[in-house]
Amino acid sequence: MLEEWGFQYHGIKKTPTGDEKVFTREFDRNATISLDHPKITYPYLSKESDIYIVPIYPSYHTELFPDSILNTESPKEYIENEPHRNALSKVYISRSSERNLKSGDIIVFYRTGDTYPKIYSGVVTTIGVVESINTDITDEEHFVALCRKRSVFSDGSLKEHWNYKPKSRPFIVNFLYVASFPRRPNLKWLNENGVIPSILDMPRGFRKISREDFYNITKYAYGK
């Protein structure tokens, strides 16, 4: 488990209650980022990665990203220790026509608006990094097993998703939660700054954005 996250065995620590194995890891933002195995250099992101923006509905957003809760939402609704809330490794289910994501790619999650005008209630909130994608899903049982405990859906809801459009089955993006923005660019800002140029052409799935777009989003989010 620890080795998956880049920790290496260091030695034994003697304690009154017994011996403990010690694992250590360097955290160096200047180190080479592992694109194939993002956990090893988590939470750092590569400058070589492709970047995608993707929408997530309000009903799923904070359930999957409790640290990205909005001021208009109640923290009391997200206090239970659900596996998908606490896990850094999460699952996003999609029918996007764009399926060329690869490990190490960066995902920017856009929470769609739930109140009018939506140009103000729709906001970018969260960064993730792709671990892998799974498009080779054999059947409903396989799909449920791959998603269980890391998505917001119950087994019953997962089965509904699988069977919703038999000619267009969903695929799975396994990703790591990286960070929640302290300041959230809204849809108006995304329009004005060319990230989503038109509200008539909103991303329905994964859409690639430029590194400059990503830089501008993070610059706004962190007040730089």
Side-chain angles (χ1 to χ4, degrees):
M1 176 66 175
L2 289 173
E3 288 90 343
E4 290 181 12
W5 294 89
F7 288 85
Q8 297 180 342
Y9 177 72
H10 180 72
I12 296 290
K13 177 183 178 181
K14 301 288 185 178
T15 73
T17 57
D19 294 346
E20 296 179 357
K21 292 182 179 180
V22 177
F23 290 80
T24 62
R25 190 194 127 178
E26 291 187 9
F27 283 82
D28 182 1
R29 64 175 63 252
N30 296 316
T32 301
I33 305 301
S34 175
L35 294 177
D36 293 332
H37 304 285
K39 282 181 179 177
I40 293 176
T41 47
Y42 178 89
Y44 302 119
L45 304 174
S46 172
K47 294 181 180 180
E48 306 301 320
S49 302
D50 289 330
I51 306 165
Y52 295 85
I53 191 168
V54 69
I56 182 168
Y57 291 129
S59 55
Y60 305 141
H61 169 268
T62 310
E63 187 66 36
L64 191 61
F65 302 122
D67 287 344
S68 297
I69 190 170
L70 272 60
N71 291 333
T72 55
E73 297 176 305
S74 172
K76 294 180 181 179
E77 296 181 11
Y78 305 98
I79 58 176
E80 294 182 11
N81 290 321
E82 298 290 347
H84 58 265
R85 293 178 186 166
N86 298 326
L88 291 175
S89 296
K90 299 177 185 286
V91 160
Y92 184 92
I93 299 166
S94 179
R95 284 186 168 82
S96 175
S97 58
E98 173 61 81
R99 301 189 174 204
N100 294 318
L101 290 82
K102 58 190 181 300
S103 61
D105 284 347
I106 298 167
I107 308 173
V108 176
F109 289 92
Y110 165 76
R111 182 190 186 275
T112 59
D114 55 351
T115 59
Y116 289 94
K118 292 188 177 182
I119 58 170
Y120 296 110
S121 62
V123 289
V124 167
T125 68
T126 310
I127 301 175
V129 60
V130 177
E131 278 197 277
S132 63
I133 68 166
N134 196 326
T135 57
D136 187 21
I137 305 170
T138 55
D139 54 27
E140 177 188 279
E141 184 178 353
H142 186 206
F143 177 70
V144 172
L146 290 171
C147 297
R148 184 179 287 133
K149 293 187 178 181
R150 294 200 297 147
S151 80
V152 300
F153 301 109
S154 65
D155 286 6
S157 295
L158 288 169
K159 292 176 182 179
E160 290 178 7
H161 273 281
W162 177 255
N163 293 301
Y164 177 61
K165 290 184 178 180
K167 293 184 179 180
S168 177
R169 299 290 190 188
F171 68 101
I172 295 169
V173 178
N174 299 297
F175 71 96
L176 302 174
Y177 163 81
V178 174
S180 298
F181 289 133
R183 186 181 180 205
R184 283 81 185 268
N186 60 26
L187 179 55
K188 184 175 186 294
W189 186 95
L190 296 172
N191 286 164
E192 292 174 346
N193 288 272
V195 181
I196 300 176
S198 172
I199 59 173
L200 300 178
D201 185 27
M202 297 294 295
R204 295 180 177 273
F206 291 95
R207 178 183 292 181
K208 190 178 289 188
I209 62 174
S210 70
R211 184 155 292 277
E212 182 180 3
D213 287 337
F214 181 63
Y215 172 76
N216 288 335
I217 290 171
T218 57
K219 184 178 178 180
Y220 176 92
Y222 291 100
K224 296 181 179 179

